[in-house]
Amino acid sequence: MTDGLTQILRTDAKENRDRIVEVAREVFASDGLGVSMREIARRAEVGPATLYRRFPTKKDLILEAFMDEFNTCRDIVRTACDHSDAWRGFCYAIEQLSELNAQNQGFTEAFTSEYPGTVDLLSHRTETLRAFTDLARRAKAQGELRHDFVIDDLILVLTANRGLSTMPPRDRIRAARRFAALMIDAFHTAPTNHTLPPSPSPALTRSIIASRTGPTD
């Protein structure tokens, strides 16, 4: 009975921790690193004492949230590279990285600016690009990836994809999925003729136009 209770308490503690980190990632990405610990506790629906017990300082929480983001990116690339079908792995990486980037509103840049040198991003990026280059080589050998693809094209796509993070939150995922589908079609050796994911709400275009047009324009 005691062992069962202990397991339940451990499970609850892990769920609390995971929820705190997930909420922190979202909040830091959308609102910046200045959000208070109390606000994060409120959004995670835990008491401040619970939050501070797991993360004594705000830096501890920021670092944990960043590492969670960092590991998610690395896991996406590893899963893609482990796929037996290189082209499908390539598509998976584009799709997942597009969604991840769309939800990251400058979190990576803010973290590296505030805590330079805390994480070895150079090694991470070098390892990731090396793995993706090998994946692209295999996809080309299959005849699925266009022969003139270069790794700089991935950087170009991800850089453009970052712009989706400025869209209204409700539209980001749908926009990221459509963007990824368009990019995959562009990289494929032949048109796929598949149906694209739905575009964001029609109101999005109107809101963008409105935000760029002031009363004196």
Side-chain angles (χ1 to χ4, degrees), residues 2 24 34 49 57 61 110 113 119 132 152 167 184 196-197:
T2 303
T57 70
L61 178 57
S113 175
V119 177
F132 203 91
D152 283 354
M167 298 171 66
I184 288 169
L196 292 171

Side-chain angles (χ1 to χ4, degrees), residues 1-11:
M1 189 72 174
T2 303
D3 289 344
L5 179 59
T6 300
Q7 183 59 43
I8 290 173
L9 292 174
R10 286 175 178 171
T11 300

Side-chain angles (χ1 to χ4, degrees), residues 13 44 72 79 83 92 102 119 130-131 153 156 159 164 168 175-176:
T72 297
T79 299
H83 205 295
Y92 171 85
V119 177
R130 186 182 297 118
D153 294 329
L156 183 64
T159 300
L164 300 181

Side-chain angles (χ1 to χ4, degrees), residues 77-95:
V77 175
R78 284 178 175 172
T79 299
C81 291
D82 287 342
H83 205 295
S84 58
D85 183 314
W87 171 247
R88 294 184 69 175
F90 181 95
C91 295
Y92 171 85
I94 295 294
E95 291 164 352

Side-chain angles (χ1 to χ4, degrees), residues 135-148:
L135 179 65
R137 178 189 58 76
R138 291 191 287 121
K140 285 181 183 181
Q142 282 182 241
E144 299 284 358
L145 177 62
R146 55 189 300 159
H147 70 87
D148 55 352

